[in-house]
Amino acid sequence: MNDTINLGDYMELVKWFYSYLKKYRLDVIKTTFFMFLESIVELLIPIIIAHLINKGITNRDFKYIMIISIIFLVLVILGVIGSVLNGYFSSKVAAYISYDLREDLFSSICNRKYKDLDNVNIPKSITVFSLDITTVGTVVLYFIRLFLKVILIFIFSIILSIFISFKLFTIILLIIPICLILFILIFKKAFPYFDLTQDSLDNLNRDVRENISGIRLIKTLRQEKNEIKKYRKVNNILKNINIKSMKLVTLTGPVLQFFIYLATFLIILYSNHLLNNNLIQIGTIMAFLQYLTMILSSLLSGSMLLLLLLKSWVSLKRIYEIINIDKDIQLEKEYILDINSIEVNNVSFTYNEKTSKKIINKLSFKIKKGEHVSIIGRCGSGKSTLLKLLGNFYEAESGKILINGKDIKMYSDKEIKKNILYINQNSKLFSGTIKFNIEFYNKNKKLNKILKICKVNDILKSKKQGLSTIVEPFGTNFSGGEKNRIILARALFKNPQVLLLDDVLNAVDIKTEKEIWQNIKKMYSNFTIIEVNSRLSHLEDVDKIILLEDGKIEAIGTFDEIKENKLFKEFYELQKENS
């Protein structure tokens, strides 16, 4: 683990974060003003008390006591006002910056390139959304509220204590460097654990997410004890890291207390000598002890704030890494009015540029408007990858994908996504209603027609609330076949020109699946459908079959044209026997 901070990265991060802070600079200025007011009051109170004791109480001057008491009361009221408004404006700035970071973080994930989604670390993203942004918000709150105050009180407490008694100040002068060195050593040793804590939280989130999403499978396989052991191991790692870091950080309190008591003891001891020689007064000693506490407390507070700042560096860096990725920038390109043809021209592709093995290897074929094309093949033959290339989620390594005879790169990604819709077997249902999941922010007057085509009406018959039936997160209250039909209905509702379907009806029974395909062909003959299907029951009805083997075309044509192919016959006969 690298726990050093690169100056260039640090400045870049500060500059980036300042872009958020400057939007609320007026509130920051207000916070600073009220912080100054609060600090001045705190600094003046020990002097006021010293004067009250030395001149008022000692001389029994009740008029002087009354005047000083009124001044004291006014200062206290001003201090309270400063503290309240300081807290209000600093909390406001922290809340707004946290809000802005969450907005940009979510937008960044939504707008990132499709290929970057493969590298999304979901547990890390959850930790960043929750803990990291909260940490940064807390730092903003304490930093703008307290950091300048700590510096101000530290400096002016030293100046005032020198002004009161330079002789007593020599004791503080000996203690401050020792405290400072000890705090630096403690925090330097504790800092590396902050990075480890965040990584351990990511691992914990990953395990919790996996267990909650797969709890039914875990219970079915009776692996609860093993999963609990696995979770306990990860939780123990996080616990041990927290214990080690907290042991170090909590040392600062006792160290501070020790030096405050030591300094107080030495000051009282020396003050006794000064008092016997009439070189100092009681009120002055009391004021000096208050400034001593202020100096050492501000030293500790400053160290803690610095520690919090270093801790937030880890969080801020993690937020920055997610927000500042290459976004899916939409450039002005050609519009797609009507997709008459899609052509794959000598296309090759691999996910890993370092390997020579091609997932797609020199494919060439053409699909006309309105054709229903089925892509079949063994697992790992490149079927799903081919669909993603057709949907422009990845760029071909070599060769071209042509729409209406023009390179797919000539069209904006927005246009492609509008007219070519890709749906895979892992598509999700969202919390809401069945109607919301089908419409999904789109408007289409043909909802009833789509419900009939996808046989969603059969699902609604068993639901009392019909389209208003609540869908639980990820559709856990629906069967696999029901989810398949709702997801397909959502795809048709968007009314694209080309549908790329990756085994979307894998949980629907063969009879229902065949009926759905017949409905689509009848009602949407103008749609171009390119599908990957692990079942071959409806292949006699499609216009073209592409059989892939190791990323290459093994056979292409209608059912009658390729039915004698050895590999195709093997697949077809095997499924026929199983069904």
Side-chain angles (χ1 to χ4, degrees):
M1 183 196 65
N2 182 15
D3 56 336
T4 58
I5 298 176
N6 182 280
L7 185 60
D9 292 342
Y10 179 80
M11 294 310 296
E12 185 182 347
L13 202 59
V14 169
K15 186 179 177 182
W16 168 75
F17 187 67
Y18 179 70
S19 66
Y20 287 91
L21 195 61
K22 70 180 180 182
K23 290 191 284 185
Y24 309 104
R25 53 181 171 265
L26 185 60
D27 286 321
V28 173
I29 291 167
K30 290 175 184 176
T31 301
T32 306
F33 171 77
F34 290 114
M35 178 274 299
F36 269 103
L37 179 62
E38 183 186 1
S39 301
I40 289 165
V41 169
E42 283 189 34
L43 287 164
L44 289 176
I45 282 176
I47 294 175
I48 298 294
I49 291 172
H51 279 280
L52 183 66
I53 294 169
N54 292 340
K55 294 184 179 179
I57 295 173
T58 304
N59 298 326
R60 297 192 178 185
D61 188 340
F62 294 107
K63 185 180 178 180
Y64 187 81
I65 291 171
M66 189 59 67
I67 292 168
I68 293 296
S69 297
I70 291 168
I71 294 170
F72 182 82
L73 185 62
V74 170
L75 285 174
V76 168
I77 292 169
L78 288 173
V80 170
I81 292 169
S83 179
V84 170
L85 293 177
N86 178 12
Y88 170 74
F89 287 112
S90 58
S91 299
K92 183 181 174 183
V93 172
Y96 273 109
I97 287 176
S98 296
Y99 171 82
D100 290 345
L101 286 171
R102 285 193 181 94
E103 284 281 301
D104 288 353
L105 197 62
F106 190 76
S107 297
S108 176
I109 291 173
C110 289
N111 293 323
R112 66 173 50 190
K113 293 178 181 177
Y114 188 87
K115 63 180 181 180
D116 293 326
L117 294 175
D118 295 338
N119 300 319
V120 169
N121 186 328
I122 294 175
K124 179 179 177 179
S125 299
I126 292 169
T127 308
V128 169
F129 263 107
S130 52
L131 183 67
D132 288 321
I133 289 181
T134 302
T135 300
V136 171
T138 304
V139 170
V140 171
L141 173 64
Y142 286 116
F143 204 77
I144 62 176
R145 183 180 180 184
L146 295 176
F147 192 69
L148 286 175
K149 179 185 173 183
V150 164
I151 294 172
L152 195 71
I153 287 178
F154 181 75
I155 292 170
F156 280 94
S157 292
I158 289 174
I159 293 169
L160 290 170
S161 60
I162 292 170
F163 175 75
I164 288 172
S165 175
F166 182 75
K167 290 179 180 179
L168 291 178
F169 178 73
T170 54
I171 295 170
I172 298 177
L173 203 59
L174 292 171
I175 287 172
I176 288 176
I178 299 170
C179 282
L180 201 57
I181 291 166
L182 285 171
F183 289 157
I184 289 169
L185 289 173
I186 290 169
F187 294 149
K188 188 179 179 182
K189 195 166 183 180
F191 178 69
Y193 289 108
F194 300 147
D195 218 344
L196 286 172
T197 300
Q198 303 302 87
D199 291 340
S200 298
L201 272 170
D202 292 344
N203 294 334
L204 192 72
N205 278 331
R206 180 201 63 210
D207 277 18
V208 170
R209 184 174 178 274
E210 284 178 355
N211 274 274
I212 291 173
S213 60
I215 190 65
R216 289 180 174 85
L217 178 62
I218 291 166
K219 292 183 81 65
T220 302
L221 299 176
R222 300 177 65 82
Q223 295 298 317
E224 297 96 322
K225 287 183 179 179
N226 288 328
E227 287 300 319
I228 289 168
K229 285 179 183 177
K230 181 183 169 186
Y231 172 80
R232 190 173 290 144
K233 184 180 177 181
V234 177
N235 200 21
N236 277 331
I237 291 170
L238 178 61
K239 178 195 73 176
N240 292 333
I241 291 169
N242 279 329
I243 288 171
K244 287 176 183 177
S245 62
M246 287 302 105
K247 275 181 180 178
L248 289 167
V249 173
T250 51
L251 276 176
T252 54
V255 167
L256 177 71
Q257 286 295 108
F258 171 77
F259 283 106
I260 286 176
Y261 293 146
L262 178 63
T264 303
F265 172 74
L266 294 173
I267 286 165
I268 291 171
L269 205 65
Y270 189 42
S271 297
N272 183 52
H273 168 72
L274 296 175
L275 273 171
N276 290 334
N277 292 284
N278 295 319
L279 296 173
I280 200 167
Q281 293 178 292
I282 293 291
T284 306
I285 296 170
M286 289 185 66
F288 192 88
L289 287 172
Q290 283 185 283
Y291 285 127
L292 165 69
T293 304
M294 283 185 184
I295 290 167
L296 295 181
S297 295
S298 60
L299 192 64
L300 176 64
S301 299
S303 303
M304 293 297 286
L305 283 169
L306 187 61
L307 179 70
L308 197 59
L309 184 65
L310 292 172
K311 186 178 180 181
S312 73
W313 162 265
V314 176
S315 296
L316 202 61
K317 190 168 60 172
R318 285 154 61 92
I319 297 167
Y320 178 80
E321 285 168 358
I322 295 178
I323 289 179
N324 287 274
I325 54 164
D326 294 330
K327 295 183 175 62
D328 207 353
I329 300 169
Q330 307 298 335
L331 302 174
E332 288 296 323
K333 295 186 178 181
E334 292 193 30
Y335 288 94
I336 302 174
L337 297 175
D338 197 14
I339 298 178
N340 294 308
S341 68
I342 297 174
E343 186 176 351
V344 174
N345 188 355
N346 204 31
V347 166
S348 295
F349 176 79
T350 180
Y351 289 105
N352 187 355
E353 295 176 359
K354 295 177 181 178
T355 180
S356 58
K357 182 176 171 60
K358 307 291 183 186
I359 305 297
I360 298 295
N361 195 357
K362 296 182 180 179
L363 293 192
S364 294
F365 58 86
K366 188 173 183 178
I367 298 169
K368 296 177 183 177
K369 181 178 179 178
E371 282 190 327
H372 183 169
V373 179
S374 189
I375 302 170
I376 62 173
R378 301 180 201 270
C379 290
S381 59
K383 305 185 296 295
S384 298
T385 301
L386 178 57
L387 284 191
K388 289 173 184 175
L389 287 169
L390 293 171
N392 201 37
F393 294 112
Y394 299 102
E395 289 184 10
E397 188 180 295
S398 61
K400 291 181 179 180
I401 294 173
L402 308 174
I403 295 177
N404 297 338
K406 294 181 180 179
D407 195 324
I408 196 169
K409 295 175 185 176
M410 298 288 289
Y411 303 99
S412 71
D413 196 61
K414 184 178 179 182
E415 276 295 296
I416 293 167
K417 297 296 186 289
K418 177 184 173 184
N419 292 282
I420 302 176
L421 182 63
Y422 168 77
I423 303 292
N424 67 21
Q425 56 193 308
N426 298 317
S427 296
K428 306 292 184 185
L429 293 182
F430 297 89
S431 302
T433 62
I434 293 177
K435 187 178 181 183
F436 167 76
N437 270 276
I438 295 173
E439 291 181 342
F440 204 61
Y441 306 109
N442 297 298
K443 297 296 177 185
N444 190 329
K445 294 179 181 178
K446 298 178 180 178
L447 178 59
N448 290 328
K449 176 184 173 183
I450 291 166
L451 295 176
K452 184 178 179 182
I453 290 169
C454 297
K455 301 189 78 64
V456 176
N457 278 333
D458 294 348
I459 301 170
L460 300 179
K461 287 175 186 177
S462 62
K463 309 291 181 184
K464 290 181 181 179
Q465 294 177 304
L467 284 170
S468 299
T469 300
I470 296 297
V471 178
E472 299 294 335
F474 304 112
T476 52
N477 55 331
F478 289 85
S479 69
E482 289 173 336
K483 284 190 276 190
N484 281 171
R485 283 178 273 173
I486 294 170
I487 287 165
L488 182 60
R490 180 166 65 202
L492 293 176
F493 193 85
K494 199 171 184 297
N495 199 34
Q497 293 191 52
V498 178
L499 268 175
L500 306 175
L501 305 175
D502 191 352
D503 213 8
V504 293
L505 295 175
N506 61 348
V508 175
D509 63 86
I510 293 173
K511 181 176 177 293
T512 304
E513 181 189 17
K514 198 159 187 174
E515 288 174 1
I516 289 171
W517 287 124
Q518 287 171 350
N519 289 341
I520 290 173
K521 191 167 186 177
K522 183 180 177 182
M523 301 288 188
Y524 287 97
S525 58
N526 62 324
F527 269 27
T528 302
I529 299 173
I530 307 169
E531 51 131 349
V532 167
N533 204 324
S534 57
R535 296 193 298 212
L536 314 181
S537 56
H538 69 293
L539 289 187
E540 294 179 30
D541 301 323
V542 304
D543 300 301
K544 188 178 290 179
I545 302 165
I546 299 173
L547 174 60
L548 295 182
E549 178 73 356
D550 292 328
K552 297 179 181 178
I553 293 177
E554 173 73 18
I556 185 169
T558 62
F559 179 83
D560 290 331
E561 288 170 345
I562 71 165
K563 66 182 181 181
E564 296 304 320
N565 179 274
K566 185 180 177 181
L567 184 61
F568 180 78
K569 281 177 76 174
E570 183 185 329
F571 286 158
Y572 194 73
E573 293 300 325
L574 188 63
Q575 279 214 5
K576 204 171 182 181
E577 287 175 19
N578 291 337
S579 61

